[in-house]
Amino acid sequence: MVEKQTEFSKKFEIFKALIQHSRSLVVLTGAGVSTLSGIPDFRSSQGVSATRWNGYRVEDILSISLFRKDPSLFYAWAREVWYQLDSYQPNSVHHMLAILEEKGYIQGLFTQNIDMLHTKAGSKKCYELHGSALHHHCTFCNSYYTYAQIQPIVMAGEVPLCTQCNHVIKPDIVLYGENLDPLILSRSYEMFRHTDLCLVLGSSLVVQPAASLPAYALHNGAPIVVANAQKTSYDGSATVHFSDLKQLSEAMLVWLETLKPRNSRL
């Protein structure tokens, strides 16, 4: 919900000052960011997790146990959702973060999203906590495949099989029951422990371990800025809280036109 301009302006001035004084800004983004690009979020009342598909709960379809049992069910669902991600475009939040990084203000961007939109917008310091649909591997011999190679197969209604060993290919997306990449997880703990400003955008902060990352920043005494339509468990601890991501990001894009790159201020 769009905030009243007077209230928003007060908080926005605080937010700008926090960014200008930070030296190790770390960002966490969730599904709420992607809704501005038309991708349904996951945990709202109309989100993906609240739906059923052909009698199955979507959360069950996105489990590694069901994928191993019946990958055709997973790919039939994913054909309607994940293998159409290339048709979506980055929005003002993605562009805002890419510009902040380009100007030297972001140390690391950690996302719970698998939609590839941060990298599409130009973010280079992006760590995909839950993986990405961009990469695929054979579940047996580990042969690598790209999204572009696998998408036509899935869209044709087929389960992609490895050309080397004929076993099932799986996207490099962390399904329920799988562990996150330990290297990315370790990097996230390290950065959030040492950040001097933590920005949380579009995440309900429910899914672990990503939901615990802001706690590392708080423990270090770093201020937290939360921007999310739904309430989070960190709202009370936030230095600033915004309820409308579009309003915030569009105001940021205007301000960023005048923000000097970090290296020009040293």
Side-chain angles (χ1 to χ4, degrees):
M1 181 170 60
V2 177
E3 300 181 42
K4 292 181 179 179
Q5 191 58 43
T6 52
E7 182 64 24
F8 174 81
S9 296
K10 291 178 184 178
K11 294 191 293 185
F12 190 58
E13 289 302 314
I14 297 172
F15 181 44
K16 290 191 294 184
L18 289 172
I19 290 176
Q20 289 176 307
H21 289 92
S22 71
R23 288 297 180 272
S24 56
L25 169 60
V26 176
V27 184
L28 174 65
T29 67
V33 170
S34 300
T35 58
L36 294 181
S37 293
I39 300 174
D41 72 3
F42 201 82
R43 295 195 171 273
S44 73
S45 57
Q46 288 81 39
V48 174
S49 66
T51 64
R52 298 183 74 88
W53 187 86
N54 287 2
Y56 291 86
R57 294 194 315 152
V58 171
E59 287 193 3
D60 292 333
I61 294 174
L62 298 182
S63 68
I64 188 60
S65 58
L66 191 56
F67 179 88
R68 289 169 177 161
K69 180 180 179 181
D70 187 2
S72 65
L73 181 64
F74 166 84
Y75 278 111
W77 175 86
R79 182 173 65 247
E80 300 178 5
V81 185
W82 286 348
Y83 289 92
Q84 298 186 36
L85 288 174
D86 57 313
S87 64
Y88 295 95
Q89 299 301 318
N91 59 59
S92 54
V93 180
H94 299 109
H95 292 304
M96 169 192 82
L97 294 174
I99 294 170
L100 267 176
E101 179 190 311
E102 183 182 16
K103 292 197 172 192
Y105 288 83
I106 289 182
Q107 183 182 41
L109 164 60
F110 294 84
T111 184
Q112 297 171 275
N113 302 331
I114 55 91
D115 52 36
M116 308 172 284
L117 292 181
H118 282 300
T119 53
K120 198 171 186 178
S123 291
K124 295 178 175 61
K125 298 179 179 180
C126 180
Y127 301 91
E128 294 160 319
L129 290 164
H130 295 161
S132 169
L134 183 62
H135 310 290
H136 295 68
H137 283 86
C138 173
T139 55
F140 184 76
C141 73
N142 207 40
S143 293
Y144 174 78
Y145 298 88
T146 65
Y147 178 89
Q149 289 175 295
I150 300 302
Q151 186 202 32
I153 299 172
V154 176
M155 295 306 291
E158 302 174 11
V159 173
L161 300 177
C162 180
T163 57
Q164 302 299 314
C165 68
N166 207 42
H167 281 75
V168 174
I169 296 169
K170 177 186 172 295
D172 288 4
I173 295 170
V174 181
L175 301 181
Y176 287 105
E178 290 188 300
N179 294 322
L180 274 62
D181 184 316
L183 294 178
I184 293 179
L185 195 57
S186 176
R187 177 65 63 89
S188 70
Y189 291 147
E190 182 71 13
M191 284 196 178
F192 278 86
R193 281 192 185 103
H194 294 94
T195 185
D196 62 2
L197 177 59
C198 171
L199 177 57
V200 180
L201 301 175
S203 176
S204 57
L205 296 174
V206 171
V207 178
Q208 296 290 352
S212 66
L213 292 177
Y216 290 92
L218 274 177
H219 183 73
N220 187 49
I224 291 180
V225 175
V226 176
N228 196 56
Q230 290 81 35
K231 292 181 179 180
T232 79
S233 57
Y234 286 88
D235 290 355
S237 303
T239 300
V240 185
H241 177 273
F242 298 95
S243 60
D244 193 291
L245 268 174
K246 184 178 181 181
Q247 182 182 25
L248 173 63
S249 59
E250 289 181 348
M252 279 291 293
L253 287 174
V254 174
W255 178 60
L256 287 173
E257 292 179 2
T258 62
L259 181 66
K260 294 180 180 180
R262 177 76 76 192
N263 58 14
S264 71
R265 307 191 313 143
L266 296 178

